[in-house]
Amino acid sequence: ASLAGLRAVESLRQLGFDCFHYCLGYGADLVLLVLSRIDDGYSSSSSVDDRSDGTAGAVVGSLGWLKDRFAVINGDTLMEMSNGWDVTRADFPSILTTNEGIDCGMYLLTREIVNSLRPGFLPSELRRLGVPTHRCCREFVDIGTPAGLTRTRAQLAARRTLEDGIDARMRAKFLEGVK
């Protein structure tokens, strides 16, 4: 999980998820610090795994905290779900993809499928097991790659510039009305 992953958690809450487990590795101290300051009324737990078993290994190692059906989100992913997508009608297990079929770093899993995973790269393991894909992510950014991080920084800077311009115009209009 990462700070980006925390934004994805908010999306999951809106979709009806109410319990969260954070599988942490690199940067765990920072994420645990952030999590310790969040009091949102939701059930959450975390585990730190420094082994290099990949996401699949982390999920297998977390089975003790997980329900029969659960979602896994890569912490370096920002995503926006398609309008009308409803997790209660989703197929478990599934690899969630963008509308163009690109893996968006979110997986709907069951304990049964996790028991068949080998340590390693989660998407590869799920494909090996024949887990189907489900198109539901309208927008997705992988900030875990240098190109994705650079693109996201540029988009956020442009959005801030636009918002700052709008704020400046609104302040000017307000000040005109005060005179």
Side-chain angles (χ1 to χ4, degrees):
S2 73
L3 299 179
L6 295 175
R7 181 170 180 227
V9 167
E10 188 56 40
S11 296
L12 286 175
R13 288 180 180 148
Q14 294 171 5
L15 295 171
F17 285 89
D18 61 359
C19 182
F20 302 92
H21 178 75
Y22 301 92
C23 303
L24 307 172
Y26 176 77
D29 293 343
L30 177 60
V31 177
L32 288 170
L33 178 66
V34 171
L35 291 174
S36 72
R37 295 180 177 175
I38 297 173
D39 181 19
D40 54 13
Y42 289 94
S43 173
S44 67
S45 56
S46 61
S47 59
V48 178
D49 186 358
D50 293 328
R51 297 175 295 158
S52 59
D53 291 338
T55 306
V59 172
V60 170
S62 296
L63 271 177
W65 287 281
L66 303 175
K67 295 183 176 185
D68 290 335
R69 295 173 8 142
F70 54 93
V72 172
I73 305 173
N74 294 347
D76 57 2
T77 299
L78 299 171
M79 73 192 82
E80 185 175 336
M81 306 310 281
S82 298
N83 288 336
W85 187 72
D86 182 356
V87 72
T88 62
R89 293 193 305 259
D91 293 327
F92 282 78
S94 294
I95 300 170
L96 303 186
T97 67
T98 64
N99 295 330
E100 293 78 32
I102 300 168
D103 176 347
C104 66
M106 182 172 171
Y107 314 93
L108 302 179
L109 301 178
T110 62
R111 293 176 72 81
E112 180 181 348
I113 202 79
V114 169
N115 285 325
S116 302
L117 292 175
R118 300 182 300 212
F121 188 55
L122 185 60
S124 300
E125 277 298 291
L126 295 175
R127 286 186 189 92
R128 179 184 67 81
L129 296 170
V131 172
T133 61
H134 180 78
R135 294 178 184 222
C136 64
C137 295
R138 180 175 48 227
E139 200 174 329
F140 143 80
V141 178
D142 181 358
I143 62 172
T145 65
L149 182 58
T150 299
R151 187 174 45 253
T152 302
R153 282 182 176 154
Q155 290 170 341
L156 291 175
R159 185 178 296 160
R160 265 194 300 268
T161 300
L162 176 65
E163 289 171 356
D164 288 346
I166 291 170
D167 286 346
R169 285 191 299 275
M170 289 176 72
R171 277 193 301 275
K173 274 191 124 161
F174 173 76
L175 291 175
E176 283 177 17
V178 171
K179 289 179 183 178

